[in-house]
């Protein structure tokens, strides 16, 4: 798993998805809040982001690569990455902390809560190690941030459209020890996650760490 995730070994994840089956994948997409589009303090319409067609192994194989049947936004991916960085605790994204009136009085508060445990701490630690390997010697080496470290995952999803055939992704967190920030880069029409999105992640992450 470590080598496959670090090097984006598609065949391994297709085989894994076929062994699990559609129903189990759908079940865990719910447990990991992948179908939750909620943003605290901002109205977002409900949308089923993982919806694999119930026929044909090809549908499951494509979904395993984040393609057919999987339509996650960068914000949803950031929540998943943050959950891993946070030791398995999933915290809902929040846009607003509070609304104040003209006199500075608080009209409404938007509380985030402590989060839900969606992954065991053991599993989260194993995933952290895999994401670290990706930036150390895998497809995400261009996302490594000297002096601070980083961990994450590349993605290169075929869209099927003529204008932008590849969505190039990199999603990760910084710094490596005691993570504080999650950054997700999506480049429409990119070459690959490692070539197009990872360097942008590095630039953003390096800037964030130097100005704090």
């Amino acid at each position: 798993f470590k080598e496959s995730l670090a090097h984006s070994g598609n065949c391994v994840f297709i085989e894994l998805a076929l062994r699990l089956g559609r129903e189990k994948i759908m079940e865990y997409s719910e447990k990991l809040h992948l179908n939750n589009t909620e943003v605290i303090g901002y109205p977002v319409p409900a949308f089923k982001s993982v919806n694999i067609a119930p026929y044909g192994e090809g549908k499951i194989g494509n979904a395993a690569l984040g393609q057919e049947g999987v339509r996650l936004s960068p914000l949803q991916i950031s929540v998943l990455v943050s959950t891993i960085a946070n030791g398995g605790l999933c915290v809902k994204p929040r846009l607003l902390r509070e609304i104040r009136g003209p006199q500075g009085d608080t009209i409404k508060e938007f509380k985030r809560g402590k989060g839900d445990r969606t992954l065991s701490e053991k599993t989260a630690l194993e995933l952290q190690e895999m994401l670290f390997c990706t930036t150390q010697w895998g497809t995400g080496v261009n996302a490594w941030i000297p002096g601070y470290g980083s961990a994450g995952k590349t993605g290169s999803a075929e869209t099927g459209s003529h204008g932008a055939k590849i969505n190039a992704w990199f999603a990760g967190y910084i710094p490596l020890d005691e993570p504080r920030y999650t950054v997700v880069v999506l480049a429409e029409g990119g070459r690959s996650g490692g070539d197009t999105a990872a360097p942008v992640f590095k630039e953003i992450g390096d800037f964030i760490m130097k100005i704090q």
Side-chain angles (χ1 to χ4, degrees):
F1 274 135
K2 185 184 295 184
E3 291 182 5
S4 298
L5 191 140
H7 288 300
S8 288
N10 289 342
C11 57
V12 171
F13 294 105
I14 292 173
E15 175 67 22
L16 175 62
L18 292 175
R19 290 188 185 186
L20 289 174
R22 174 183 178 272
E23 295 304 320
K24 183 64 69 174
I25 295 173
M26 298 288 287
E27 176 188 340
Y28 273 87
S29 70
E30 293 290 340
K31 289 184 177 181
L32 292 170
H33 301 292
L34 295 182
N35 283 319
N36 189 347
T37 58
E38 181 182 358
V39 178
I40 298 173
Y42 185 77
V44 179
F47 179 78
K48 198 168 185 63
S49 305
V50 181
N51 191 16
I52 305 170
Y55 53 87
E57 292 186 343
K59 304 293 184 181
I60 298 174
N62 278 335
L65 306 183
Q67 296 183 167
E68 187 176 7
V70 179
R71 293 178 289 178
L72 295 170
S73 70
L75 180 60
Q76 289 170 300
I77 293 293
S78 74
V79 173
L80 179 60
V81 172
S82 296
T83 298
I84 296 171
N86 202 30
L89 290 176
C90 178
V91 179
K92 292 179 181 178
R94 179 178 62 177
L95 181 65
L96 295 178
R97 181 177 296 173
E98 62 182 9
I99 297 176
R100 295 184 181 179
Q103 307 302 321
D105 53 315
T106 300
I107 298 176
K108 184 176 182 179
E109 287 187 272
F110 297 91
K111 296 184 178 180
R112 187 164 50 186
K114 295 182 179 179
D116 302 319
R117 177 159 294 283
T118 58
L119 293 170
S120 69
E121 188 173 0
K122 179 178 181 294
T123 298
L125 288 173
E126 290 178 351
L127 287 170
Q128 287 175 15
E129 174 66 18
M130 294 179 190
L131 297 180
F132 165 67
C133 290
T134 301
T135 56
Q136 276 290 283
W137 43 264
T139 56
V141 292
N142 289 331
W144 179 256
I145 302 173
Y148 304 101
S150 61
K153 180 70 183 75
T154 60
S156 305
E158 296 174 335
T159 66
S161 65
H162 296 291
K165 293 185 178 181
I166 296 292
N167 277 348
W169 292 77
F170 188 88
Y173 58 83
I174 47 175
L176 187 63
D177 298 324
E178 299 183 2
R180 296 183 60 192
Y181 305 102
T182 295
V183 176
V184 178
V185 176
L186 166 60
E188 294 182 287
R191 293 189 302 275
S192 69
D195 291 334
T196 306
V200 179
F201 171 92
K202 178 181 179 180
E203 184 176 347
I204 294 172
D206 187 60
F207 177 78
I208 291 173
M209 297 305 297
K210 287 180 177 178
I211 65 171
Q212 61 176 341

